[in-house]
């Protein structure tokens, strides 16, 4: 049965094309003559890629997420403004699209995304913290709790993603991005746009939906890692798994930060 994971499906097709049985047919006598020839040496078997393990994903995840956190801390400490943050976010967005659509395992692209987006997150976090001191710590804590909760749900087999659920989450993700883009365009011509990103009941409901969507993406990430380890995909794909986890955590953190800001009170 073909996996619903695009990475595993692609690897399966590649393995089929590289099967040993795909070569030309030769007779037993021809092989014996080759072996008896004085200059004949048995060919070395092809080097097999080491299969990915959970430890590989954990290590790459720490590197990718750690790079993002360090770049965010640098942007915070040196008080980078939007003049630096805006181009950095744009670069990170482009790199993220390249990695996502090409399923790239290039560490340079993935770490470049972490550095660029980390700068943007550092500037955004400082802006929120200056308006409501202590809000960033609460958002980080909320993200950690959400991550641990989703991991527990998956590890305890309370819920496992199905193909229909996966399609729903992916479609919902595209719809959410489309709605946020439409809200931004409308906000240029009207005050508050569609109200999706404002401090209002509509904004609260939308933020909660986005937080839940981030948790659903984490579920898909855990399932992809589990499938990849079971299928024995090459170790290099741990970079792609780490990127996906970081992307989901960034989504969660920003949405939790925005949601808390609606109700944060310094009094």
């Amino acid at each position: 049965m073909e996996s619903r994971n695009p990475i595993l499906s692609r690897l399966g097709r590649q393995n089929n094309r590289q099967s040993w049985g795909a070569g030309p047919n030769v007779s037993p006598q021809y092989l014996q003559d080759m072996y008896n020839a004085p200059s004949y040496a048995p060919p070395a078997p092809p080097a097999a890629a080491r299969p990915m393990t959970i430890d590989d994903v954990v290590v790459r995840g720490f590197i990718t997420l750690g790079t993002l956190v360090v770049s965010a801390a640098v942007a915070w400490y040196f008080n980078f403004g939007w003049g630096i943050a805006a181009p950095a976010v744009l670069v990170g967005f482009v790199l993220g699209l390249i990695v996502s659509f090409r399923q790239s395992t290039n560490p340079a692209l993935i770490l470049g995304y972490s550095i660029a987006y980390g700068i943007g997150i550092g500037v955004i976090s400082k802006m929120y913290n200056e308006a409501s001191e202590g809000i960033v710590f609460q958002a980080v804590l909320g993200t950690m709790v959400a991550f641990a909760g989703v991991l527990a749900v998956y590890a305890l087999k309370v819920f496992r993603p199905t193909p229909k659920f996966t399609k729903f989450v992916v479609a919902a993700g595209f719809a959410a991005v489309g709605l946020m883009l439409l809200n931004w365009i409308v906000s240029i011509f009207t005050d508050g746009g569609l109200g999706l990103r404002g401090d209002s009941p509509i904004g609260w409901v939308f933020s909660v939906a986005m937080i839940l969507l981030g948790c659903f993406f984490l579920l898909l990430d855990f399932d992809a890692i589990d499938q990849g380890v079971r299928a024995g995909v090459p170790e290099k794909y741990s970079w792609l798994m780490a990127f996906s986890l970081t992307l989901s955590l960034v989504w969660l953190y920003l949405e939790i930060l925005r949601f808390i800001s609606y109700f944060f009170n310094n009094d």
Side-chain angles (χ1 to χ4, degrees):
M1 182 178 67
E2 185 177 1
S3 171
R4 62 176 177 274
N5 188 293
I7 299 175
L8 304 184
S9 299
R10 179 180 298 180
L11 288 175
R13 290 193 294 269
Q14 290 175 351
N15 290 337
N16 288 336
R17 288 197 297 267
Q18 297 171 357
S19 172
W20 286 105
N25 293 323
V26 294
S27 66
Q29 185 60 43
Y30 176 79
L31 294 176
Q32 185 64 39
D33 292 342
M34 286 183 61
Y35 187 80
N36 292 333
S39 61
Y40 174 76
R50 182 174 67 82
M52 182 182 73
T53 65
I54 293 292
D55 289 342
D56 291 329
V57 179
V58 171
V59 171
R60 284 8 174 233
F62 272 118
I63 294 174
T64 305
L65 190 60
T67 301
L68 186 145
V69 171
V70 169
S71 62
V74 170
W76 179 308
Y77 181 79
F78 289 101
N79 197 23
F80 288 177
W82 279 111
I84 297 177
V89 170
L90 181 60
V91 170
F93 179 73
V94 172
L95 291 177
L97 288 178
I98 294 173
V99 173
S100 298
F101 285 101
R102 294 185 59 186
Q103 297 290 285
S104 174
T105 60
N106 189 333
L109 292 177
I110 294 171
L111 295 180
Y113 160 84
S114 295
I115 294 172
Y117 247 64
I119 293 173
I121 289 174
V123 172
I124 293 172
S125 297
K126 186 167 187 178
M127 179 185 69
Y128 272 94
N129 201 69
E130 288 178 347
S132 305
E133 187 175 352
I135 190 174
V136 170
F137 173 77
Q138 293 191 20
V140 170
L141 184 61
T143 304
M144 294 172 61
V145 170
F147 178 85
V150 175
L151 180 59
V153 167
Y154 186 83
L156 297 175
K157 299 182 180 181
V158 176
F159 177 79
R160 291 295 175 91
T162 62
K164 288 184 178 180
F165 178 81
T166 302
K167 292 179 181 178
F168 165 77
V169 173
V170 173
F174 279 110
V177 173
L179 281 174
M180 286 188 281
L181 180 61
L182 179 61
N183 182 76
W184 176 72
I185 294 174
V186 174
S187 67
I188 297 176
F189 305 99
T190 62
D191 185 16
L194 302 176
L196 300 180
R197 305 272 75 181
D199 186 2
S200 65
I202 295 177
W204 306 340
V205 171
F206 188 76
S207 286
V208 171
M210 294 302 96
I211 292 172
L212 289 175
L213 186 58
C215 292
F216 293 159
F217 275 119
L218 275 179
L219 269 177
L220 298 187
D221 293 334
F222 295 146
D223 189 56
I225 294 169
D226 189 24
Q227 287 189 57
V229 171
R230 292 176 183 272
V233 301
E235 173 267 340
K236 65 178 182 179
Y237 281 91
S238 60
W239 280 108
L240 187 58
M241 304 295 180
F243 165 78
S244 186
L245 278 173
T246 302
L247 194 65
S248 298
L249 288 173
V250 166
W251 178 298
L252 260 180
Y253 168 74
L254 292 177
E255 290 300 331
I256 291 174
L257 182 64
R258 178 182 290 273
F259 182 71
I260 295 176
S261 71
Y262 297 149
F263 309 100
F264 199 89
N265 189 348
N266 286 321
D267 297 336

